[in-house]
């Protein structure tokens, strides 16, 4: 594994069918040439990602929409002009040329233009749209710094270093096809900002998983048990536990290790720091993690979406053990 700075070289690797991990403003991605099904299949293998979970295709110029979309309509262009480059993924009807390997056989494709100079340079250097999921093992914590990538995916040949991701949580995914527009995954672009452009948009019914096969109940799981402090039995011994606090930590002396999402309870900062705090806990000596919830407003909706999924597995295990 090499941390590399040379985007021209990394672009050549993509063109040759290799995988490259690269920074975006949301999280680091694990990229391959979207038009090379064999290279794309390597992404699924390396991440141990099930084939039913489609990838997002990253572009650097609007004209690349022509080879990805069935039809580039006014809504697509309006949203692209408003929010790109930026953390919004548009799910639209796909062009027949997009390999099924990228879209898991769906008739739609997710597309976004990332707001990170290194990502844009890489896509330009590769001269092809780049299919990329987050650069973590399937179901585990997303990476916002190069070492988070190498910790989980030591076999990636090249990790482009673009520093710490400035947004910190994955893009908002919205569906523009079918009956009405829907938010499939909350992210940094909030419901209220989207409503200004698409007044009829709403969160999709989470029981209707067919819409976005990747949106499972359990995801972003740390390698150690993690509990929301609001659901945690505070009479338990926490001397070997870690606390991730939102705001100045209250029970500082009781815990072995403390991480802070945002000292002054700023939700944007909490999003930026969220995955990094969890990665730090994974490599610290604690046995389990207690994390404080954040208010579910603005980007807090996306943060809590990630947290509920991150604690889900251990909550289910606890329930089984106790019942
Ligand atoms: O910010 C991000 O979106 C990052 C960076 C690297 O761009 N990428 C990312 O990719 O989070 P991934 O694969 O971890 O999550 C993509 C989500 C999945 O839940 C997937 O199911 C959904 O987008 N998705 C992709 N294509 C779709 C499609 N055609 N229809 C419905 N959902 C789709
Ligand atoms: Mg992911």
């Amino acid at each position: 594994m090499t941390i590399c700075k040379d985007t021209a070289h990394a672009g050549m690797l993509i063109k040759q069918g290799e995988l490259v991990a690269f920074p975006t403003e949301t999280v680091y991605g694990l990229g391959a040439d979207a038009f090379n099904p064999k290279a794309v299949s390597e992404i699924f293998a390396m991440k141990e990602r099930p084939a039913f979970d489609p990838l997002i295709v990253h572009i650097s110029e609007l004209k690349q929409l022509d080879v990805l979309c069935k039809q580039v309509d006014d809504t697509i262009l309006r949203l692209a002009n408003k929010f790109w480059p930026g953390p919004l993924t548009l799910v639209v009807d796909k062009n027949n040329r997009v390999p099924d390997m990228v879209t898991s056989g769906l008739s739609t494709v997710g597309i976004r233009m990332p707001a990170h100079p290194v990502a844009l340079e890489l896509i330009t250097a590769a001269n092809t749209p780049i299919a990329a999921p987050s650069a973590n093992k399937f179901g585990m914590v997303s990476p916002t710094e190069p070492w988070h990538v190498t910790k989980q995916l030591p076999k990636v040949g090249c990790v482009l270093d673009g520093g710490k991701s400035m947004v910190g949580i994955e893009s908002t995914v919205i569906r523009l096809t079918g009956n009405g527009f829907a938010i499939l995954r909350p992210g940094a672009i909030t419901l209220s900002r989207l409503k200004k452009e698409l007044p009829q948009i709403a969160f999709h019914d989470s029981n209707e998983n067919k819409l976005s096969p990747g949106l499972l109940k359990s995801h972003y799981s740390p390698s150690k048990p993690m509990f929301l402090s609001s659901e945690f039995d505070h009479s338990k011994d926490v001397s070997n536990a870690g606390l991730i606090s939102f705001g100045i930590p209250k029970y500082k002396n009781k815990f072995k290790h403390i991480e802070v999402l945002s000292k002054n309870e700023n939700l944007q900062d909490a999003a930026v720091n969220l995955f990094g705090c969890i990665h730090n806990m994974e490599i610290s000596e604690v046995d389990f993690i207690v994390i404080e919830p954040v208010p579910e407003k603005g980007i807090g909706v996306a943060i809590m979406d990630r947290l509920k999924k991150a604690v889900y597995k251990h909550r289910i295990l606890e329930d089984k053990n106790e019942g």
Side-chain angles (χ1 to χ4, degrees):
M1 200 289 313
T2 1
I3 301 279
C4 39
K5 291 249 177 202
D6 184 349
T7 41
H9 175 70
M12 199 183 68
L13 292 176
I14 293 276
K15 219 41 208 168
Q16 289 170 351
E18 309 265 329
L19 304 188
V20 170
F22 64 99
T24 83
E25 79 282 29
T26 59
V27 300
Y28 275 66
L30 179 65
D33 178 353
F35 288 100
N36 181 338
K38 181 159 183 306
V40 173
S41 75
E42 298 288 336
I43 295 178
F44 284 88
M46 186 176 285
K47 273 187 65 107
E48 295 167 27
R49 178 175 173 118
F52 62 75
D53 192 0
L55 306 181
I56 292 171
V57 179
H58 298 72
I59 61 174
S60 57
E61 289 174 278
L62 287 186
K63 70 171 190 239
Q64 289 168 311
L65 287 172
D66 295 338
V67 287
L68 297 171
C69 304
K70 187 169 178 188
Q71 197 194 345
V72 185
D73 64 26
D74 289 348
T75 311
I76 298 175
L77 281 179
R78 196 158 52 81
L79 292 168
N81 282 313
K82 178 84 191 169
F83 294 108
W84 288 352
L88 181 69
T89 296
L90 304 178
V91 172
V92 301
D93 285 324
K94 84 172 180 101
N95 190 302
N96 285 338
R97 290 164 63 185
V98 180
D100 280 342
M101 182 63 71
V102 172
T103 62
S104 302
L106 297 176
S107 61
T108 55
V109 59
I111 309 171
R112 85 176 190 101
M113 188 188 289
H116 195 296
V118 176
L120 295 172
E121 269 173 40
L122 174 70
I123 302 162
T124 305
N127 195 26
T128 180
I130 294 182
S134 49
N136 50 276
K137 282 266 197 257
F138 179 72
M140 300 192 68
V141 183
S142 302
T144 52
E145 292 183 49
W147 71 266
H148 301 161
V149 178
T150 55
K151 182 166 70 128
Q152 289 190 43
L153 306 175
K155 292 197 178 132
V156 192
C158 166
V159 182
L160 277 172
D161 185 354
K164 185 170 165 176
S165 296
M166 298 295 287
V167 171
I169 50 173
E170 300 86 346
S171 61
T172 306
V173 179
I174 66 172
R175 174 177 57 78
L176 297 181
T177 60
N179 284 341
F181 306 137
I183 300 180
L184 305 182
R185 177 176 71 182
I189 307 287
T190 56
L191 175 65
S192 61
R193 282 183 71 192
L194 286 167
K195 273 199 173 249
K196 286 193 186 126
E197 301 303 316
L198 298 172
Q200 64 277 57
I201 198 159
F203 283 106
H204 90 102
D205 178 355
S206 58
N207 296 319
E208 221 185 305
N209 247 344
K210 273 188 307 206
L211 281 176
S212 195
L215 303 179
L216 305 171
K217 284 199 172 112
S218 172
H219 209 137
Y220 316 103
S221 276
S223 55
K224 297 173 181 179
M226 187 162 84
F227 307 93
L228 276 172
S229 68
S230 48
E231 295 174 347
F232 183 70
D233 174 0
H234 286 275
S235 64
K236 278 191 179 158
D237 176 16
V238 291
S239 55
N240 275 324
L243 173 70
I244 304 180
S245 76
F246 179 61
I248 294 165
K250 292 178 212 71
Y251 322 98
K252 211 169 176 167
N253 302 330
K254 290 166 65 182
F255 288 87
K256 188 167 196 171
H257 183 85
I258 306 271
E259 293 281 332
V260 181
L261 292 172
S262 164
K263 252 197 331 230
N264 48 2
E265 302 187 11
N266 176 300
L267 286 171
Q268 306 287 341
D269 292 345
V272 173
N273 295 324
L274 175 67
F275 291 137
C277 287
I278 301 176
H279 282 289
N280 288 343
M281 283 295 179
E282 284 189 336
I283 60 162
S284 76
E285 304 237 300
V286 304
D287 294 338
F288 66 94
I289 308 160
V290 178
I291 185 162
E292 290 180 354
V294 305
E296 277 183 90
K297 55 178 194 210
I299 200 172
V301 174
I303 297 175
M304 285 311 295
D305 166 76
R306 308 308 189 266
L307 282 189
K308 285 175 198 165
K309 287 176 178 161
V311 300
Y312 186 80
K313 190 164 86 187
H314 298 295
R315 193 166 59 198
I316 295 299
L317 285 175
E318 284 261 300
D319 286 353
K320 271 201 186 131
N321 290 343
E322 278 165 20

